[in-house]
Amino acid sequence: MSQSAVKASGVADAPDAGRWKALVFIALAQLMVVLDATIVNIALPSAQQDLGISDGNRQWVVTAYALAFGGLLLFGGRIADLWGRKRTFVLGLGGFAVASALGGAATNEAMMFGSRALQGVFGALLAPAALSLLAVMFTDAKERAKAFGIYGAIAGGGGAVGLILGGFLTEYLNWRWTFFVNIPFAIVAAAGAYLVIREPKGGRNRSPLDIPGVILSTLGLVALVYGFTRAESNGWSDALTVGMFVGSAVLLLAFVLVESRVKAPLLPLRVITERNRGGIYLSLGLAIIAMFGLFLFLTYYLQIVKGYTPVKTGFAFLPMIAGMITGSTQIGARLMTRVAPRLLMGPGFLVAAVGMLFLTQLEVDTSYAGVLLPGMLLLGLGMGTAFMPAMSMATMGVEARDAGVASAMVNTSQQVGGAIGTALLNTIAASATTSYIADHMGGAASRSQQQLVQLEGQVQGYTSAIWFAVGILVVAAAIALTLINAGRPGGGAVTGSGAGDEAEDELRVPVVAH
């Protein structure tokens, strides 16, 4: 890419001197959001008992957050482009802290559900603003690789850290601290961002807000996430579940039609129709489906089958975290500027699939060191290696005015993938468990034998679902290797979706020539 082309694109300004300090506060905010997704799961049984939440309603502690967060992400990304990413980021942090304080102080189920929905609303502002700030602040290829390596490690490993922290807080303090712990995170990140972040000028999208697009996308995504959440508890043939899926399909199709015709769309279709970004959103969403389901099964396996405490369960996930950090910062970040992204993402997902294959061998008396340890290490290593280029490439090549909404699409694919993964794999596991117990319970004479059959049935359910997760990761690898055809960053332009786009894309790639 020529020096003149870079200047013409308006991205050759001197990089911000405080960008690495800014990364610390952006990473801290991302850690807080990712932690929150798992930390509350550990605290849920204690909170349910204290607040008198019924078994039928307890899912809303998780669902209220997921619906608000998943439904409003595109809107949040567009607000970041419109208001400015720094302002949206700080506002999101402040709101998240207030919502967390309300959750920690909840005195009844209505207050708890409301605070979780409010956390989701501000999370939907915060998450796309954080990723798009990185996209516009780190423009040098090597620096970008390092920055996204750190961000990718946190995005992937933060959930497992949440299990450890949630276990400690619930076991040694009180479930309320799983909410209150967000407040210092948010205050430090907001203060640091306010003082350090200098958002590049000229990147805002001041077009009027696409109100029909906001309504259709929000309702469509909420219906989709709720459909999968409800399928987990009420079954796939439940009338309301089917209605949600049909309604979601109609709303999202209407959204695409509206976006193709309005002058200033909420989600410009150019963001998702470019084959590299489309491939990333799709493969990342599939990988998250596999991973979220696994987190759930391993947590149950370790606590119910192996009898681990919440704290010990959290520590059992440490190899996965170590693998993710190594994959992101030592493999992905170092190779990102040397090889094409698909050659990191495809093999990364395949290594993760091999890790999953280890975990299909789980039995009631499986040793941690023999199966769980190598399986989690490989899974973390593969996911970390794949996440890093995915996070970076998802916003590379977009115009500055679309950075927020492109970042929101990354988060949307993760959020929807998480909802699908939990519901789909849990349904598969429950079905396999029921079938196993029905076939084997007749031969169990004593109470101890019956309990053993129950445990074996649960493990059979987990391994059946993990086999599906292996297949999903192989499909994610195939999509990454087939659809993503961009060269290495700094080694040429991001290939457009058509010949006519290539020259235009070359001007947009935020890489400074050396």
Side-chain angles (χ1 to χ4, degrees):
M1 188 172 178
S2 70
Q3 195 75 23
S4 58
V6 175
K7 287 179 181 175
S9 68
V11 293
D13 300 333
D16 177 23
R19 62 196 179 282
W20 290 108
K21 290 179 186 174
L23 175 63
V24 172
F25 300 112
I26 292 168
L28 188 64
Q30 173 66 10
L31 179 61
M32 180 188 73
V33 172
V34 176
L35 280 177
D36 194 73
T38 51
I39 201 171
V40 172
N41 289 344
I42 297 276
L44 184 52
S46 304
Q48 180 185 354
Q49 191 174 358
D50 271 10
L51 300 177
I53 301 172
S54 68
D55 285 348
N57 283 342
R58 69 181 173 189
Q59 64 158 330
W60 284 101
V61 176
V62 176
T63 304
Y65 178 83
L67 292 181
F69 189 70
L72 291 170
L73 271 166
L74 285 176
F75 178 59
R78 181 67 180 83
I79 289 293
D81 289 334
L82 181 65
W83 286 356
R85 294 165 194 95
K86 175 179 172 178
R87 185 182 300 173
T88 307
F89 182 70
V90 173
L91 176 66
L93 281 166
F96 202 90
V98 170
S100 298
L102 288 171
T107 54
N108 53 50
E109 63 177 37
M111 190 171 171
M112 170 60 77
F113 300 156
S115 68
R116 288 291 284 160
L118 202 59
Q119 276 186 313
V121 170
F122 286 105
L125 282 177
L126 174 61
L131 187 56
S132 58
L133 275 169
L134 283 190
V136 297
M137 291 179 78
F138 289 89
T139 54
D140 174 78
K142 288 184 179 177
E143 287 193 349
R144 186 183 178 94
K146 287 179 188 174
F148 276 92
I150 294 165
Y151 187 88
I154 289 169
V161 176
L163 294 170
I164 299 173
L165 190 57
F168 264 108
L169 293 172
T170 304
E171 209 165 309
Y172 298 117
L173 288 171
N174 183 290
W175 66 265
R176 296 182 185 277
W177 283 96
T178 60
F179 287 91
F180 291 145
V181 74
N182 290 331
I183 298 170
F185 273 96
I187 291 171
V188 171
Y194 183 78
L195 295 171
V196 171
I197 290 177
R198 298 285 178 271
E199 188 179 347
K201 294 178 182 178
R204 288 204 198 166
N205 184 346
R206 299 185 187 276
S207 304
L209 197 59
D210 169 23
I211 300 298
V214 170
I215 294 168
L216 288 169
S217 68
T218 301
L219 292 177
L221 288 170
V222 164
L224 182 64
V225 172
Y226 184 58
F228 277 105
T229 305
R230 188 176 172 84
E232 185 185 354
S233 54
N234 294 71
W236 296 90
S237 58
D238 173 70
L240 185 55
T241 302
V242 173
M244 283 291 160
F245 286 134
V246 172
S248 172
V250 171
L251 287 163
L252 293 177
L253 181 60
F255 171 67
V256 171
L257 291 173
V258 166
E259 298 308 275
S260 66
R261 297 183 180 187
V262 297
K263 189 176 179 182
L266 173 71
L267 174 63
L269 295 183
R270 61 179 174 268
V271 171
I272 54 172
T273 53
E274 198 275 313
R275 67 180 289 168
N276 290 288
R277 283 191 291 277
I280 282 165
Y281 299 145
L282 191 55
S283 60
L284 199 59
L286 285 169
I288 292 290
I289 288 175
M291 197 167 171
F292 263 63
L294 185 77
F295 269 157
L296 184 73
F297 299 138
L298 284 185
T299 303
Y300 278 118
Y301 174 79
L302 292 169
Q303 289 194 24
I304 295 172
V305 179
K306 305 297 279 185
Y308 284 22
T309 64
V311 172
K312 191 176 179 183
T313 299
F315 276 110
F317 279 96
L318 278 177
M320 192 186 294
I321 301 172
M324 280 186 176
I325 292 171
T326 304
S328 265
T329 61
Q330 300 307 308
I331 301 174
R334 289 176 185 273
L335 295 180
M336 180 71 184
T337 56
R338 300 177 187 176
V339 300
R342 69 177 179 275
L343 299 181
L344 288 174
M345 289 183 66
F349 289 140
L350 289 176
V351 168
V354 172
M356 287 272 197
L357 269 178
F358 268 89
L359 299 173
T360 60
Q361 307 308 306
L362 287 180
E363 293 177 3
V364 172
D365 58 352
T366 295
S367 81
Y368 178 83
V371 174
L372 286 158
L373 178 62
M376 286 201 280
L377 266 174
L378 286 170
L379 183 66
L381 201 63
M383 286 294 199
T385 302
F387 273 14
M388 190 265 134
M391 292 286 183
S392 179
M393 282 295 298
T395 52
M396 185 173 279
V398 296
E399 299 176 34
R401 65 196 173 116
D402 294 334
V405 80
S407 302
M409 274 302 299
V410 180
N411 287 286
T412 300
S413 67
Q414 288 178 297
Q415 190 64 26
V416 173
I420 294 171
T422 305
L424 180 64
L425 297 181
N426 215 27
T427 305
I428 293 165
S431 175
T433 295
T434 303
S435 177
Y436 183 92
I437 291 173
D439 290 344
H440 293 80
M441 191 58 85
S446 67
R447 183 173 175 80
S448 61
Q449 286 177 324
Q450 289 172 355
Q451 287 176 334
L452 181 61
V453 169
Q454 293 275 4
L455 290 177
E456 286 173 345
Q458 286 189 32
V459 175
Q460 179 68 30
Y462 303 152
T463 54
S464 298
I466 292 170
W467 272 111
F468 272 85
V470 171
I472 290 168
L473 281 173
V474 171
V475 172
I479 288 170
L481 289 167
T482 306
L483 283 184
I484 300 167
N485 67 350
R488 62 185 177 85
V494 175
T495 308
S497 54
D501 294 330
E502 289 177 10
E504 188 179 1
D505 276 340
E506 186 172 354
L507 292 179
R508 288 188 208 140
V509 178
V511 175
V512 178
H514 298 291

